[in-house]
Amino acid sequence: MEHVVSASGKALDNLRGLMLRDAFLRYVLQDESIAEVSARLLEARPQYSSIFREGQAPGPTVNFLWPLHRSENELAAVFVHRLLFVLGEPLPQPTELERVAAKSIVERIDQLVSGLSCGELVAIGTFATTGAEVNVSAAQWRRKDLVLDVQNSNICEMLNNRPVNIWSGVWLETADRRDFSTPLASLPTDDNRYSKTQRQTETKGKARRECLDWLISMTSDKNCLPMSNPALWDMAKTKWPGKIGKRQFSLCRDEALAKLPDKERALWTRPGPKPKAN
C-alpha cells in the first residue's frame, strides 16, 4: 500500500495540469492500487467497462456524476440499483467483487478530496456566478452536497435532485505551482444554501430549466407558428430578465430542437420568413 500512502506526495504531483476528468480517471479509477480488482470485476461484469475506462458513474442510468462524500456501502448498492423492481422479489445485493471495488473507489476519492481540502492540490475553474477563472477554496471540499461531473470536468452541487454547475472546465495544479494572483471562489461552508451567491446559482439553474421546458412546449406544439432564434431570445429575455444568458438560451434551444423530427426542426431553423400556421 505504499503507493496509496504516498498519495499526498508524488501521486498528487502527477495530476499537475490535468483536467478534472483525466485526473479522476488516472487517480481514482485507473490507479495501480485498483487495477487488480477492476480487472477481476470486468471479467465478471463486462458492462462496467465504461466506469473504469470513461468515468461513467455506476447505476441504471448513463451519467458521470460522482458524489464526493459517499460510503462504500452506498456506492456498492448503486452498482446493483435498478429503476424497476418486481414486488415480492428480494432486492439485488452487490457481489463481493462489487463491494471490494466500491471500497477501493471510495478510498481513492477520499484521498483525492483530502489532498484538495488540505491545499496540497488546487482546483481551478470558471466560477458560474461571475464567469471568472478562479481557484476553488480548499474549504469547499468539506461540503456534503458537491458532486463531480467527470465527463465535463465540472464541480456541481445537487439542488432538487439536479446537478447545478458551480465551477466548470476545472483543471488541477499542485500548491507549489498555484497562481496566487488568481482569486479564490469560496462559498460559505456552514450555511451556503442561503448565501447570496448560492441563491444566484440556484435562480439561474431554475431559469434555465424553465426556459428549456418552455422551448420544448413551444417547438413541439404543431399549432405554434415557428419563430426565429432572435425572436425567441427576445421573448426569453423578457420572461427571465437577468436570469439567463444568451449562451444558456442557445443551449436550451438546441436541446429542444434536437427532440423534434427532422422536418419540424427545419421549420424552426431555416432562415427567412416563417411559414404560416395551418
Side-chain angles (χ1 to χ4, degrees), residues 152-164:
N152 298 304
S153 294
N154 295 342
I155 303 173
C156 310
E157 63 176 345
M158 297 302 293
L159 293 174
N160 300 320
N161 294 319
R162 293 193 184 206
V164 177

Side-chain angles (χ1 to χ4, degrees), residues 11 27 43 101 104 118 143 153 160 188 191 197 210 226 253 257 275:
Y27 189 83
E43 286 183 5
S104 299
C118 73
R143 293 174 52 185
S153 294
N160 300 320
D191 196 18
T197 302
E210 290 176 349
R253 178 177 178 269
L257 294 182

Side-chain angles (χ1 to χ4, degrees), residues 190-208:
D190 52 348
D191 196 18
N192 59 72
R193 192 168 299 279
Y194 298 100
S195 69
K196 179 180 179 181
T197 302
Q198 194 77 354
R199 290 197 302 270
Q200 289 174 340
T201 302
E202 183 175 359
T203 298
K204 289 185 177 183
K206 182 174 181 290
R208 185 192 185 284

Side-chain angles (χ1 to χ4, degrees), residues 16 83-84 126 129 140 234:
R16 172 186 297 168
L83 293 177
L84 298 175
T126 300
T129 303
Q140 295 303 304
D234 286 341

Side-chain angles (χ1 to χ4, degrees), residues 89-271:
E89 288 191 1
L91 295 177
Q93 298 297 315
T95 65
E96 182 61 26
L97 268 179
E98 287 166 334
R99 292 184 183 278
V100 173
K103 182 177 186 296
S104 299
I105 291 173
V106 166
E107 286 177 350
R108 295 302 294 175
I109 292 176
D110 286 347
Q111 289 163 10
L112 179 62
V113 171
S114 177
L116 287 159
S117 62
C118 73
E120 293 181 58
L121 194 64
V122 178
I124 304 167
T126 300
F127 197 32
T129 303
T130 64
E133 185 174 83
V134 293
N135 294 336
V136 179
S137 170
Q140 295 303 304
W141 299 101
R142 295 195 295 268
R143 293 174 52 185
K144 300 298 183 183
D145 59 343
L146 286 189
V147 298
L148 300 187
D149 176 356
V150 172
Q151 185 179 43
N152 298 304
S153 294
N154 295 342
I155 303 173
C156 310
E157 63 176 345
M158 297 302 293
L159 293 174
N160 300 320
N161 294 319
R162 293 193 184 206
V164 177
N165 282 351
I166 307 178
W167 297 274
S168 59
V170 176
W171 57 283
L172 303 181
E173 187 58 275
T174 48
D176 62 321
R177 297 293 186 91
R178 171 182 159 183
D179 180 3
F180 285 93
S181 66
T182 303
L184 289 172
S186 178
L187 302 179
T189 57
D190 52 348
D191 196 18
N192 59 72
R193 192 168 299 279
Y194 298 100
S195 69
K196 179 180 179 181
T197 302
Q198 194 77 354
R199 290 197 302 270
Q200 289 174 340
T201 302
E202 183 175 359
T203 298
K204 289 185 177 183
K206 182 174 181 290
R208 185 192 185 284
R209 293 191 295 271
E210 290 176 349
C211 181
L212 176 60
D213 292 341
W214 171 66
L215 288 168
I216 291 174
S217 176
M218 287 186 64
T219 56
S220 62
D221 186 351
K222 297 183 183 299
N223 295 318
C224 182
L225 181 67
M227 299 173 61
S228 67
N229 187 42
L232 285 171
W233 170 231
D234 286 341
M235 291 181 66
K237 287 189 292 184
T238 301
K239 293 175 69 69
W240 297 280
K243 297 178 181 178
I244 188 168
K246 189 170 184 179
R247 180 175 178 274
Q248 288 299 316
F249 163 78
S250 296
L251 292 174
C252 289
R253 178 177 178 269
D254 291 345
E255 187 173 343
L257 294 182
K259 299 179 181 295
L260 297 178
D262 292 343
K263 184 177 179 181
E264 295 179 20
R265 188 185 309 118
L267 296 177
W268 287 87
T269 57
R270 70 182 187 181

